[in-house]
Amino acid sequence: DARVTQTPRHKVTEMGQEVTMRCQPILGHNTVFWYRQTMMQGLELLAYFRNRAPLDDSGMPKDRFSAEMPDATLATLKIQPSEPRDSAVYFCASGSRTGGINEQFFGPGTRLTVL
Amino acid sequence: GQNIDQPTEMTATEGAIVQINCTYQTSGFNGLFWYQQHAGEAPTFLSYNVLDGLEEKGRFSSFLSRSKGYSYLLLKELQMKDSASYLCAVRDGTAGNKLTFGGGTRVLVKP
């Protein structure tokens, strides 16, 4: 069945290292969202793409975070350099604007720990 | 901007009913969603309201009052597997239809 996939599922790294997270949206979905979830802040939107074009990245720290969609089957979220405060679960979600409720389907998440 | 409030935690007994309230303030309301999230897992879609009234889906129902900025999720005949966090999210039609999530309500179902 169709689902959003994310890699890696877990990542432990040291402060200062680059981290790249990948997401494959559901085939045919034209909107992709990146969220970060922590106990303190809950689920926060970092960036949002429609038809591969970035629409909103206001929730993302610009100095160290970047999000791209090289093609319709791949979205990436990069942190460089990483800091301990970036430790969180990062979710990718995809949706379709072709009618209906347009709910978002979430991937399993990448659990990031920055030491 | 968006402001969404829901209780942090609720406890209920197996077989009982629990109602999770959500209040919101938004500039461009275009629908309210409820998601369920089990510990260590991704949120999964439960329900959607865009018009006032009650939407029923099996043991789960969701209600919306747009004039009051208020929604609730009703869980009936509680089962142990319903222990999870329930996230209220509001869609803003003036901001690219992005969702803003509340902090979530953790529901603990006891035997």
Side-chain angles (χ1 to χ4, degrees):
Chain A
D1 59 325
R3 60 183 68 188
V4 177
T5 58
Q6 290 185 246
T7 57
R9 294 291 309 276
H10 301 271
K11 176 72 174 180
V12 180
T13 191
E14 293 188 344
M15 182 174 63
Q17 296 298 305
E18 177 179 298
V19 175
T20 298
M21 291 168 271
R22 294 176 175 80
C23 166
Q24 182 172 9
I26 293 172
L27 188 65
H29 281 189
N30 64 346
T31 56
V32 174
F33 305 82
W34 281 105
Y35 291 92
R36 175 172 61 187
Q37 188 174 41
T38 62
M39 290 292 291
M40 295 298 295
Q41 300 296 328
L43 200 59
E44 303 173 283
L45 179 68
L46 296 175
Y48 161 32
F49 292 79
R50 183 184 302 157
N51 296 325
R52 295 177 54 202
L55 284 193
D56 187 342
D57 61 1
S58 58
M60 205 165 65
K62 302 292 191 304
D63 56 339
R64 298 183 300 108
F65 284 60
S66 61
E68 295 179 347
M69 275 202 78
D71 61 61
T73 65
L74 177 65
T76 63
L77 180 67
K78 190 175 294 186
I79 308 174
Q80 167 63 17
S82 58
E83 298 180 0
R85 58 179 168 153
D86 301 329
S87 297
V89 180
Y90 291 81
F91 288 106
C92 173
S94 72
S96 172
R97 284 182 55 83
T98 55
I101 293 174
N102 297 331
E103 72 268 35
Q104 295 179 19
F105 296 82
F106 283 77
T110 295
R111 184 173 295 274
L112 174 65
T113 302
V114 183
L115 303 174
Chain B
Q2 315 270 10
N3 189 29
I4 301 171
D5 288 310
Q6 50 181 130
T8 305
E9 196 168 285
M10 302 181 75
T11 302
T13 305
E14 194 175 15
I17 298 174
V18 70
Q19 177 174 316
I20 306 168
N21 295 324
C22 171
T23 58
Y24 64 89
Q25 295 171 320
T26 182
S27 51
F29 180 82
N30 189 24
L32 186 142
F33 294 77
W34 284 95
Y35 279 79
Q36 181 190 58
Q37 185 177 25
H38 285 100
E41 297 183 10
T44 54
F45 169 73
L46 276 183
S47 69
Y48 169 74
N49 296 72
V50 67
L51 300 176
D52 291 351
L54 188 69
E55 294 284 339
E56 296 188 83
K57 195 188 282 189
R59 295 188 296 112
F60 293 1
S61 304
S62 56
F63 172 83
L64 175 67
S65 169
R66 289 172 296 171
S67 62
K68 295 180 179 176
Y70 167 69
S71 173
Y72 68 71
L73 179 69
L74 196 69
L75 285 62
K76 293 178 276 190
E77 302 169 18
L78 278 173
Q79 301 176 9
M80 299 298 291
K81 67 178 182 178
D82 297 329
S83 292
S85 285
Y86 293 85
L87 307 172
C88 172
V90 173
R91 184 162 62 191
D92 186 344
T94 65
N97 276 330
K98 67 180 185 182
L99 292 184
T100 300
F101 283 83
T105 299
R106 190 164 55 192
V107 171
L108 177 62
V109 180
K110 294 185 173 179

